[in-house]
mmCIF file of all heavy atoms in Angstrom:
data_model
loop_
_atom_site.group_PDB
_atom_site.id
_atom_site.type_symbol
_atom_site.label_atom_id
_atom_site.label_comp_id
_atom_site.label_asym_id
_atom_site.label_seq_id
_atom_site.Cartn_x
_atom_site.Cartn_y
_atom_site.Cartn_z
ATOM 1 N N TRP A 80 -23.495 -10.753 9.499
ATOM 2 C CA TRP A 80 -24.680 -10.833 10.286
ATOM 3 C C TRP A 80 -25.794 -9.982 9.512
ATOM 4 O O TRP A 80 -26.952 -10.408 9.327
ATOM 5 C CB TRP A 80 -24.438 -10.259 11.667
ATOM 6 C CG TRP A 80 -25.740 -10.264 12.515
ATOM 7 C CD1 TRP A 80 -26.559 -9.279 12.766
ATOM 8 C CD2 TRP A 80 -26.181 -11.417 13.168
ATOM 9 N NE1 TRP A 80 -27.508 -9.782 13.579
ATOM 10 C CE2 TRP A 80 -27.406 -11.108 13.855
ATOM 11 C CE3 TRP A 80 -25.800 -12.844 13.243
ATOM 12 C CZ2 TRP A 80 -28.170 -12.024 14.527
ATOM 13 C CZ3 TRP A 80 -26.552 -13.704 13.898
ATOM 14 C CH2 TRP A 80 -27.720 -13.425 14.678
ATOM 15 N N ALA A 81 -25.360 -8.745 9.040
ATOM 16 C CA ALA A 81 -26.443 -7.985 8.362
ATOM 17 C C ALA A 81 -26.843 -8.522 6.978
ATOM 18 O O ALA A 81 -27.931 -8.292 6.544
ATOM 19 C CB ALA A 81 -25.822 -6.609 8.041
ATOM 20 N N ALA A 82 -26.003 -9.393 6.369
ATOM 21 C CA ALA A 82 -26.274 -10.012 5.103
ATOM 22 C C ALA A 82 -27.537 -10.901 5.216
ATOM 23 O O ALA A 82 -28.118 -11.206 4.208
ATOM 24 C CB ALA A 82 -25.092 -10.789 4.550
ATOM 25 N N ARG A 83 -27.896 -11.294 6.418
ATOM 26 C CA ARG A 83 -29.134 -12.112 6.514
ATOM 27 C C ARG A 83 -30.360 -11.344 6.049
ATOM 28 O O ARG A 83 -31.285 -11.855 5.589
ATOM 29 C CB ARG A 83 -29.251 -12.626 7.987
ATOM 30 C CG ARG A 83 -28.271 -13.407 8.539
ATOM 31 C CD ARG A 83 -28.394 -13.780 10.043
ATOM 32 N NE ARG A 83 -28.614 -12.506 10.812
ATOM 33 C CZ ARG A 83 -29.778 -12.345 11.483
ATOM 34 N NH1 ARG A 83 -30.728 -13.203 11.618
ATOM 35 N NH2 ARG A 83 -29.899 -11.229 12.105
ATOM 36 N N ALA A 84 -30.329 -10.013 6.289
ATOM 37 C CA ALA A 84 -31.502 -9.169 5.979
ATOM 38 C C ALA A 84 -31.472 -8.679 4.605
ATOM 39 O O ALA A 84 -32.455 -8.294 3.980
ATOM 40 C CB ALA A 84 -31.290 -7.901 6.872
ATOM 41 N N GLY A 85 -30.343 -8.658 3.900
ATOM 42 C CA GLY A 85 -30.278 -8.212 2.498
ATOM 43 C C GLY A 85 -28.886 -8.445 1.848
ATOM 44 O O GLY A 85 -27.850 -8.411 2.574
ATOM 45 N N ILE A 86 -28.896 -8.946 0.691
ATOM 46 C CA ILE A 86 -27.727 -9.367 -0.103
ATOM 47 C C ILE A 86 -26.734 -8.290 -0.323
ATOM 48 O O ILE A 86 -25.660 -8.427 -0.502
ATOM 49 C CB ILE A 86 -28.219 -10.092 -1.394
ATOM 50 C CG1 ILE A 86 -26.969 -10.842 -1.938
ATOM 51 C CG2 ILE A 86 -28.641 -9.078 -2.386
ATOM 52 C CD1 ILE A 86 -27.229 -11.867 -2.925
ATOM 53 N N HIS A 87 -27.253 -7.006 -0.340
ATOM 54 C CA HIS A 87 -26.368 -5.838 -0.639
ATOM 55 C C HIS A 87 -25.324 -5.636 0.483
ATOM 56 O O HIS A 87 -24.378 -4.968 0.195
ATOM 57 C CB HIS A 87 -27.311 -4.617 -0.726
ATOM 58 C CG HIS A 87 -27.961 -4.100 0.414
ATOM 59 N ND1 HIS A 87 -29.161 -4.702 0.808
ATOM 60 C CD2 HIS A 87 -27.677 -3.282 1.466
ATOM 61 C CE1 HIS A 87 -29.668 -4.103 1.927
ATOM 62 N NE2 HIS A 87 -28.732 -3.293 2.258
ATOM 63 N N HIS A 88 -25.524 -6.331 1.623
ATOM 64 C CA HIS A 88 -24.456 -6.187 2.666
ATOM 65 C C HIS A 88 -23.249 -7.061 2.309
ATOM 66 O O HIS A 88 -22.236 -6.977 2.964
ATOM 67 C CB HIS A 88 -25.026 -6.656 4.047
ATOM 68 C CG HIS A 88 -26.102 -5.618 4.568
ATOM 69 N ND1 HIS A 88 -25.767 -4.427 5.076
ATOM 70 C CD2 HIS A 88 -27.448 -5.720 4.622
ATOM 71 C CE1 HIS A 88 -26.934 -3.772 5.375
ATOM 72 N NE2 HIS A 88 -27.855 -4.631 5.168
ATOM 73 N N LEU A 89 -23.352 -8.081 1.339
ATOM 74 C CA LEU A 89 -22.190 -8.885 0.996
ATOM 75 C C LEU A 89 -21.059 -8.001 0.495
ATOM 76 O O LEU A 89 -19.912 -8.431 0.743
ATOM 77 C CB LEU A 89 -22.711 -9.972 0.019
ATOM 78 C CG LEU A 89 -23.624 -10.979 0.580
ATOM 79 C CD1 LEU A 89 -24.049 -11.992 -0.485
ATOM 80 C CD2 LEU A 89 -22.962 -11.725 1.710
ATOM 81 N N HIS A 90 -21.378 -6.908 -0.148
ATOM 82 C CA HIS A 90 -20.256 -6.156 -0.612
ATOM 83 C C HIS A 90 -19.496 -5.514 0.562
ATOM 84 O O HIS A 90 -18.211 -5.548 0.452
ATOM 85 C CB HIS A 90 -20.797 -4.930 -1.503
ATOM 86 C CG HIS A 90 -19.720 -3.930 -1.837
ATOM 87 N ND1 HIS A 90 -18.653 -4.214 -2.790
ATOM 88 C CD2 HIS A 90 -19.448 -2.651 -1.370
ATOM 89 C CE1 HIS A 90 -17.912 -3.263 -2.750
ATOM 90 N NE2 HIS A 90 -18.363 -2.294 -1.857
ATOM 91 N N HIS A 91 -20.100 -5.140 1.565
ATOM 92 C CA HIS A 91 -19.364 -4.689 2.849
ATOM 93 C C HIS A 91 -18.622 -5.767 3.453
ATOM 94 O O HIS A 91 -17.449 -5.638 3.915
ATOM 95 C CB HIS A 91 -20.422 -4.249 3.911
ATOM 96 C CG HIS A 91 -21.075 -2.919 3.354
ATOM 97 N ND1 HIS A 91 -20.570 -1.659 3.426
ATOM 98 C CD2 HIS A 91 -22.430 -2.773 2.985
ATOM 99 C CE1 HIS A 91 -21.416 -0.795 2.987
ATOM 100 N NE2 HIS A 91 -22.617 -1.470 2.654
ATOM 101 N N LEU A 92 -19.018 -7.019 3.340
ATOM 102 C CA LEU A 92 -18.344 -8.196 3.782
ATOM 103 C C LEU A 92 -17.086 -8.383 3.075
ATOM 104 O O LEU A 92 -16.025 -8.671 3.550
ATOM 105 C CB LEU A 92 -19.233 -9.484 3.723
ATOM 106 C CG LEU A 92 -18.518 -10.747 4.126
ATOM 107 C CD1 LEU A 92 -18.119 -10.804 5.510
ATOM 108 C CD2 LEU A 92 -19.499 -12.005 3.883
ATOM 109 N N VAL A 93 -17.196 -8.282 1.648
ATOM 110 C CA VAL A 93 -16.010 -8.400 0.749
ATOM 111 C C VAL A 93 -15.048 -7.347 1.064
ATOM 112 O O VAL A 93 -13.786 -7.461 1.245
ATOM 113 C CB VAL A 93 -16.472 -8.531 -0.622
ATOM 114 C CG1 VAL A 93 -15.188 -8.494 -1.517
ATOM 115 C CG2 VAL A 93 -17.230 -9.737 -0.942
ATOM 116 N N GLY A 94 -15.520 -6.110 1.213
ATOM 117 C CA GLY A 94 -14.611 -4.962 1.457
ATOM 118 C C GLY A 94 -13.932 -5.053 2.832
ATOM 119 O O GLY A 94 -12.666 -4.907 2.830
ATOM 120 N N ALA A 95 -14.611 -5.368 3.907
ATOM 121 C CA ALA A 95 -13.983 -5.523 5.154
ATOM 122 C C ALA A 95 -13.060 -6.712 5.219
ATOM 123 O O ALA A 95 -11.940 -6.599 5.751
ATOM 124 C CB ALA A 95 -15.071 -5.682 6.380
ATOM 125 N N SER A 96 -13.367 -7.748 4.540
ATOM 126 C CA SER A 96 -12.378 -8.966 4.405
ATOM 127 C C SER A 96 -11.305 -8.570 3.654
ATOM 128 O O SER A 96 -10.028 -8.957 4.000
ATOM 129 C CB SER A 96 -13.145 -10.137 3.783
ATOM 130 O OG SER A 96 -14.248 -10.535 4.593
ATOM 131 N N ALA A 97 -11.368 -7.795 2.612
ATOM 132 C CA ALA A 97 -10.162 -7.375 1.844
ATOM 133 C C ALA A 97 -9.279 -6.445 2.746
ATOM 134 O O ALA A 97 -8.003 -6.603 2.677
ATOM 135 C CB ALA A 97 -10.592 -6.622 0.608
ATOM 136 N N MET A 98 -9.823 -5.666 3.586
ATOM 137 C CA MET A 98 -8.988 -4.899 4.417
ATOM 138 C C MET A 98 -8.274 -5.729 5.423
ATOM 139 O O MET A 98 -7.117 -5.455 5.908
ATOM 140 C CB MET A 98 -9.917 -3.739 5.193
ATOM 141 C CG MET A 98 -10.545 -2.792 4.310
ATOM 142 S SD MET A 98 -9.334 -1.600 3.598
ATOM 143 C CE MET A 98 -9.039 -0.645 5.076
ATOM 144 N N VAL A 99 -8.971 -6.828 6.012
ATOM 145 C CA VAL A 99 -8.276 -7.777 6.801
ATOM 146 C C VAL A 99 -7.052 -8.405 6.264
ATOM 147 O O VAL A 99 -5.934 -8.485 6.694
ATOM 148 C CB VAL A 99 -9.304 -8.793 7.355
ATOM 149 C CG1 VAL A 99 -8.539 -9.883 8.078
ATOM 150 C CG2 VAL A 99 -10.301 -8.232 8.299
#
Side-chain angles (χ1 to χ4, degrees):
W80 183 258
R83 296 175 312 119
I86 196 164
H87 63 278
H88 293 285
L89 290 177
H90 173 71
H91 294 282
L92 175 63
V93 173
S96 299
M98 294 292 282
V99 169

